Amino acid sequence: MADTPRPSVLLPEAEVARIVADLAGQIAPVIDDETVAAVLLTGGLWFAADLTRALSRIGRNVRFDALWLASYGDEQSSRGKIDVYAPFQRPIAGRKVLIIDDVFDTGLSLAEAVRIATGAGASEVLTVVFAKKPWPLPRAPEPDFVGWEAPNRFLVGYGLDHAGALRGLPDICALD
């Protein structure tokens, strides 16, 4: 990491918190307390923790689960395929599922998560991402809820990483 550029802050911690609270306000009316909120590991943990707490503060207490998917490894670009390291832990058949992810770029992970949830019998699958990056090609499915339209830069912090590092930064930063 000695040759890693110094991160520059794009979105400070206070703005991250405001965006999460706003998303919770948008999501709460369309889910219920039986909804399974499933984070895509590992990057989505920070956002999922904050979002589920924000939902709880406004009276919506979801069930929590996780899917461990990976498309990047330690690289800065997607490998174009998804590895599934851990599936849902709780039954989701007949339940609404809210897939939570940190960033939407290629759309591969989100599409795979929706496919897995649908295949497991979810009654409805909704998706929320903290950040959506611009992409030159059409992506499907587009997220149902987006917190921030991010620039096309290499992002770190708030769960976003560089080869596993810098996830814990409270701000969202760029490394380029």
Side-chain angles (χ1 to χ4, degrees):
M1 289 258 320
D3 60 347
T4 300
R6 183 174 175 85
S8 57
V9 175
L10 299 179
L11 203 61
E13 182 178 10
E15 183 65 6
V16 169
R18 186 202 61 75
I19 290 168
V20 172
D22 182 59
L23 281 169
Q26 293 174 50
I27 293 167
V30 298
I31 64 172
D32 58 34
D33 290 352
E34 295 302 313
T35 299
V36 176
V39 61
L40 298 190
L41 297 177
T42 53
L45 277 173
W46 286 257
F47 175 44
D50 287 349
L51 182 63
T52 56
R53 284 190 296 254
L55 286 166
S56 183
R57 281 192 284 280
I58 57 177
R60 183 65 69 218
N61 295 293
V62 295
R63 312 295 172 139
F64 194 79
D65 204 342
L67 276 174
W68 190 1
L69 307 178
S71 70
Y72 279 76
D74 281 346
E75 303 305 315
Q76 289 190 13
S77 61
S78 174
R79 293 174 288 132
K81 70 180 190 91
I82 301 295
D83 296 320
V84 179
Y85 294 126
F88 288 109
Q89 301 302 301
R90 67 178 56 254
I92 61 169
R95 288 191 168 167
K96 189 177 289 190
V97 175
L98 176 67
I99 305 290
I100 303 170
D101 201 8
D102 54 357
V103 66
F104 184 73
D105 46 28
T106 66
L108 290 173
S109 295
L110 202 63
E112 181 66 6
V114 169
R115 186 195 67 74
I116 291 169
T118 302
S123 62
E124 182 180 1
V125 181
L126 298 170
T127 55
V128 58
V129 297
F130 183 85
K132 179 181 171 189
K133 292 175 76 173
W135 199 254
L137 304 172
R139 299 171 283 192
E142 289 285 322
D144 296 301
F145 302 95
V146 175
W148 178 54
E149 296 287 340
N152 192 19
R153 298 178 70 185
F154 190 78
L155 305 176
V156 295
Y158 198 61
L160 301 158
D161 73 304
H162 176 62
L166 304 174
R167 286 191 196 273
L169 295 173
D171 310 310
I172 293 184
C173 304
L175 268 189
D176 49 10

